Amino acid sequence: MEFLYEYGLFFAKALTVVVAIAAVVIIVAASASKQGGDKGELKLTNMSEKLTELKHHLKEELLDKKQFKAYEKELKAAEKAKEKAEKKGEGDDPKPRVYVIDFKGSIDANEVASLREEVSAVIAVAEPKDEVIVNVESGGGMVHGYGLAASQLDRLRQANIPLSICVDKVAASGGYMMACVANKVYAAPFAIVGSIGVIAQIPNFNRLLKKHDIDYEQHTAGNFKRTLTVFGENTDEGREKFQKELEETHVLFKDFIGNYRPDVDLEKVATGEHWYGQQAIDLGLIDEVSTSDDVIMKLAEDKTVIKIRYQLKKKLADKIAHGASLSFNAIFNRIAEKNQPLN
C-alpha cells in the first residue's frame, strides 16, 4: 500500500507539472501567432577564407619550422605588395564572386521560402562577372512546390547570372526539374539523377467502411471536382480522368526539360527511370561528373566564394516551448529521484 501511495503522489506531481507547462506553452503560442509573419536573416560565409585558413593550417603541420617560416614570409611580402599597389591605385580589380546556395528539399518543397529570399539577395547585388552555384539534394515531391523552386532558379538565368547546379547525392523528379534549369549541371559519379515521371498513390477504405456499416458522404459541384477519393467509392470514370491528369502533368514536365536541355532524347529519359551520374552524362542529363567540393575549390582559385543562407528566426513560442521541455525533463527527473525506493 505504501508503494501505491508513493506512486500516486509521484504521478500527481508529474501530471500537475505537465498541465502547467502545457498551459504556458499554449498561451505563448497563441500570443506569438498574432505577431505577424515569419522573419529571417541572411547568413554569409566566406568559403574562400575558410579554404585559405585550412591550407595555412596544413602547411604549418606538414612543413618544418624553417620551411613554414619561409612560406609565411612569402605571404607577408605578397600582402605588402598588394597593399602598396592598392594605395597607388594600381591594384587588381576585385575578384568576381561565386554565390553558393544549398537546397535540401522535402516532399512539399517548403524550403523554397528560403530559396526565394536567397535568390532575390543575389540578384540585388550580383556584378556582371559573378555566378551562382546551387547544391541540390532532393528526391522530388509535389509538382507545384518544385515548379516554384525551379522558377526561382530561372530568375537567375533571366537576370543573366551564370547558374550551375551540383548534385552530390540525388536530384530526381522535382529535384531534376530544378537542376535542368542551370547553364551547367554537375553530378557526383554515384549521384542519382533523372526520374522524369509522375506518380500518385491513394489508399481507399470504402470496402472497409461498408463492412462495418459506416456511411460516407461526399458532395461536389462539378463532375471532376474530386476524381478519386480515400473513403468514397471510386468509379472508372474518375480513374480515367485521374490518369489523364497524370499524363498531362508528365507532358508538361517533359516540355519543361526540353526547354532547358533541348539536346536530351526525352523519349529515352522521360520514362520515370533514374541513372547514376556517370551514366547520366552519356544521356545528356548532366554536363560533367564532379562533386561540389571540386567545383568550388577550382572556382576559389581566382574568385571569392560566398555561401549565402536565409535562416528563419525562431518564434518566441518555439524558444519557450523548447525551454519548457528542458525544464520539464529536469523537474521530472528530480521528482523521480525523490520517489526512488531505498535499497
Side-chain angles (χ1 to χ4, degrees):
M1 290 298 293
E2 182 179 353
F3 170 76
L4 291 176
Y5 171 76
E6 292 289 342
Y7 178 78
L9 182 61
F10 162 71
F11 183 78
K13 289 180 180 178
L15 184 60
T16 302
V17 172
V18 171
V19 172
I21 292 175
V24 171
V25 171
I26 291 171
I27 293 170
V28 172
S31 175
S33 65
K34 299 177 182 178
Q35 294 177 1
D38 294 337
K39 292 183 179 180
E41 58 184 351
L42 285 170
K43 298 274 189 178
L44 302 180
T45 304
N46 192 319
M47 298 180 70
S48 294
E49 287 183 356
K50 283 196 167 185
L51 288 171
T52 300
E53 290 172 4
L54 177 62
K55 180 180 177 181
H56 190 271
H57 178 70
L58 288 174
K59 288 280 189 181
E60 186 177 11
E61 293 294 327
L62 296 173
L63 301 178
D64 58 39
K65 289 184 178 180
K66 185 177 180 181
Q67 291 173 325
F68 183 68
K69 191 174 181 180
Y71 167 71
E72 283 194 314
K73 189 175 181 180
E74 289 178 7
L75 289 179
K76 289 179 181 178
E79 188 64 29
K80 285 183 179 180
K82 183 180 178 182
E83 290 176 0
K84 189 175 180 181
E86 287 176 351
K87 287 181 180 179
K88 291 182 178 180
E90 299 173 356
D92 296 333
D93 293 334
K95 287 183 178 181
R97 293 188 180 94
V98 178
Y99 295 98
V100 178
I101 297 172
D102 290 337
F103 184 89
K104 189 172 183 179
S106 55
I107 292 294
D108 61 355
N110 67 80
E111 296 80 7
V112 75
S114 294
L115 178 65
R116 69 199 313 173
E117 299 290 345
E118 292 157 356
V119 168
S120 294
V122 170
I123 292 175
V125 300
E127 299 292 336
K129 293 182 180 180
D130 295 344
E131 58 183 291
V132 176
I133 289 179
V134 179
N135 297 317
V136 173
E137 182 181 335
S138 174
M142 295 182 179
V143 175
H144 55 278
Y146 279 91
L148 178 57
S151 297
Q152 291 300 319
L153 298 184
D154 186 61
R155 292 174 60 204
L156 294 167
R157 291 198 58 167
Q158 296 300 321
N160 295 317
I161 302 173
L163 170 65
S164 296
I165 296 290
C166 291
V167 184
D168 287 330
K169 293 182 179 179
V170 56
S173 194
Y176 187 72
M177 180 187 287
M178 294 178 65
C180 77
V181 175
N183 300 98
K184 193 166 185 178
V185 182
Y186 300 89
F190 288 95
I192 294 174
V193 178
S195 189
I196 304 170
V198 184
I199 184 173
Q201 301 177 89
I202 302 175
N204 183 265
F205 299 96
N206 184 252
R207 284 186 291 178
L208 179 64
L209 296 179
K210 285 183 176 179
K211 182 178 179 180
H212 293 278
D213 296 323
I214 300 173
D215 293 328
Y216 172 77
E217 293 187 14
Q218 178 177 265
H219 304 275
T220 62
N223 292 337
F224 297 112
K225 177 61 180 176
R226 178 71 64 201
T227 51
L228 297 184
T229 173
V230 175
F231 298 108
E233 186 172 357
N234 291 318
T235 65
D236 289 338
E237 185 182 23
R239 294 188 185 94
E240 183 179 345
K241 175 62 176 176
F242 191 77
Q243 181 62 39
K244 184 180 178 182
E245 290 173 349
L246 291 182
E247 296 291 345
E248 289 172 348
T249 304
H250 192 209
V251 170
L252 292 173
F253 193 176
K254 290 190 292 184
D255 290 344
F256 188 86
I257 302 291
N259 182 47
Y260 291 99
R261 299 191 73 85
D263 296 331
V264 169
D265 184 352
L266 289 171
E267 295 303 317
K268 189 173 183 178
V269 302
T271 58
E273 299 171 82
H274 69 266
W275 292 271
Y276 295 113
Q278 54 195 348
Q279 299 170 317
I281 193 169
D282 296 327
L283 296 168
L285 292 171
I286 68 171
D287 300 295
E288 189 174 325
V289 176
S290 180
T291 64
S292 62
D293 309 277
D294 289 330
V295 173
I296 290 171
M297 286 188 71
K298 187 175 181 181
L299 288 169
E301 292 175 2
D302 54 5
K303 297 182 180 181
T304 301
V305 181
I306 305 291
K307 176 169 281 191
I308 182 169
R309 180 167 64 95
Y310 184 79
Q311 184 175 11
L312 290 174
K313 292 181 180 178
K314 285 187 177 181
K315 292 180 180 179
L316 179 62
D318 296 330
K319 293 180 180 179
I320 292 182
H322 179 66
S325 176
L326 295 177
S327 299
F328 168 71
N329 287 334
I331 294 171
F332 187 87
N333 289 334
R334 288 177 187 174
I335 294 174
E337 288 173 3
K338 289 181 180 179
N339 287 274
Q340 284 290 331
L342 297 174
N343 293 328

